[in-house]
Amino acid sequence: MRKPFIAANWKMNKTVSETQEFISKFIPAVKDLRNVDIAIAPPFTSLIVAAENLKNTDILLSAQDVFYEEKGAYTGEISPLMLIDIGCKYVIIGHSERRQYFKETDDIVNKKIKAAKKAGIGIIFCIGETLEERESGKTFDVLQVEIEKGLSGIDDSGTIIAYEPIWAIGTGKTAATEQAQEAHSYIRERLRILFSEKADEMRIIYGGSVTPENIDALMACKDVDGALVGGASLKVESFTKIVKFGKE
Ligand code: PGA
């Protein structure tokens, strides 16, 4: 009942011409796929050209970040309205790299989510624990705080949650399927507290070293509704295999 959602997070990769090259090969490779929502999140500089190239396809355009003010003197920032203006349907908010390198706090993440909601753009809200937190048995506490603070004051359930254990991002170490399912099921429990039965319609996607080799096992988990893919989304061949999970 929850349609799978698989997103490519290109991070700080790909020039405009590399973006065009990827999209021109990717569109025909996935044109008959109907059972999965696919999103691509290129860097800001490639968004416009990606929007033009994705026109007339079902592939959704996503940004990787957004600022929480509508406009004004915020050098270097991009507002939700600017993203909507060029055709973005989603934005990633609270990625662990933003939290780690750019000091984004739960409070900033919450402001961004509120601003994006107000503007009407879809949200991919990232949460996840560090290795140290996992090893000291704090995974659920960390997830609980990130959910409560990140979604504070949000009264509708139309957000995609990306569970991304930080120790699995870019490391080649994927969470075992049991670990992923356990975390996703805990996240859904917390979402039920906020959104009651609507939580069962919310998509909780997994991120952290997703590859064509491990996608099938992850997607077979009851509460894993898709994936946020970094490294393996940079090549048309591997990302195509991932969005066609369960088929080859
Ligand atoms: P990865 O990144 O697939 O390269 O581990 C995932 C992410 O950070 O979204």
Side-chain angles (χ1 to χ4, degrees):
M1 92 190 153
R2 295 184 293 263
K3 188 174 184 189
F5 183 99
I6 298 185
N9 175 11
W10 285 354
K11 309 190 180 185
M12 199 174 71
N13 292 291
K14 293 199 190 292
T15 60
V16 167
S17 61
E18 288 165 344
T19 299
Q20 281 172 310
E21 194 191 337
F22 181 103
I23 291 176
S24 68
K25 290 186 184 145
F26 186 64
I27 291 173
V30 300
K31 73 175 184 327
D32 298 325
L33 271 189
R34 292 282 168 273
N35 57 345
V36 54
D37 286 333
I38 303 170
I40 296 180
F44 284 130
T45 45
S46 284
L47 282 175
I48 289 196
V49 82
E52 280 161 9
N53 286 268
L54 293 174
K55 223 180 255 168
N56 306 321
T57 76
D58 293 329
I59 301 166
L60 302 156
L61 184 64
S62 173
Q64 299 176 14
D65 186 31
V66 69
F67 192 54
Y68 50 75
E69 295 291 350
E70 280 178 19
K71 60 180 170 181
Y74 304 102
T75 303
E77 294 298 323
I78 302 284
S79 78
L81 289 174
M82 291 172 182
L83 296 181
I84 287 174
D85 184 42
I86 58 152
C88 276
K89 299 285 185 264
Y90 280 91
V91 57
I92 299 171
I93 296 181
H95 191 282
S96 62
E97 286 152 15
R98 303 246 18 122
R99 296 178 191 256
Q100 186 184 345
Y101 302 130
F102 305 100
K103 308 289 172 252
E104 275 191 20
T105 60
D106 288 321
D107 181 46
I108 294 174
V109 169
N110 178 247
K111 283 185 173 165
K112 291 185 172 189
I113 292 178
K114 282 183 173 151
K117 282 252 168 225
K118 189 170 162 220
I121 189 164
I123 291 153
I124 303 168
F125 166 40
C126 302
I127 55 175
E129 80 287 358
T130 62
L131 185 59
E132 198 190 345
E133 288 161 345
R134 174 162 284 270
E135 286 177 343
S136 54
K138 293 196 192 124
T139 299
F140 288 174
D141 296 342
V142 170
L143 296 178
Q144 178 184 343
V145 169
E146 286 183 335
I147 292 168
E148 274 172 14
K149 292 195 171 166
L151 296 179
S152 160
I154 304 295
D155 54 13
D156 83 286
S157 55
T159 295
I160 293 174
I161 313 288
Y163 169 61
E164 299 207 299
I166 295 167
W167 48 272
I169 296 179
T171 57
K173 281 190 223 154
T174 327
T177 47
E178 303 76 44
Q179 289 172 317
Q181 171 53 30
E182 183 189 46
H184 282 231
S185 141
Y186 176 76
I187 292 166
R188 201 173 303 284
E189 243 175 68
R190 302 306 310 180
L191 294 174
R192 277 199 196 103
I193 295 170
L194 297 174
F195 304 114
S196 53
E197 71 277 4
K198 283 202 202 132
D200 290 305
E201 289 158 27
M202 291 175 73
R203 291 180 286 192
I204 306 172
I205 64 177
Y206 170 84
S209 298
V210 173
T211 63
E213 287 71 41
N214 60 29
I215 186 72
D216 287 356
L218 287 162
M219 292 305 289
C221 297
K222 183 170 159 279
D223 287 290
V224 175
D225 306 315
L228 183 54
V229 189
S233 74
L234 294 172
K235 295 238 157 63
V236 174
E237 199 196 357
S238 55
F239 192 54
T240 300
K241 283 187 183 155
I242 290 172
V243 296
K244 290 188 174 172
F245 65 94
K247 287 202 195 316
E248 281 160 22

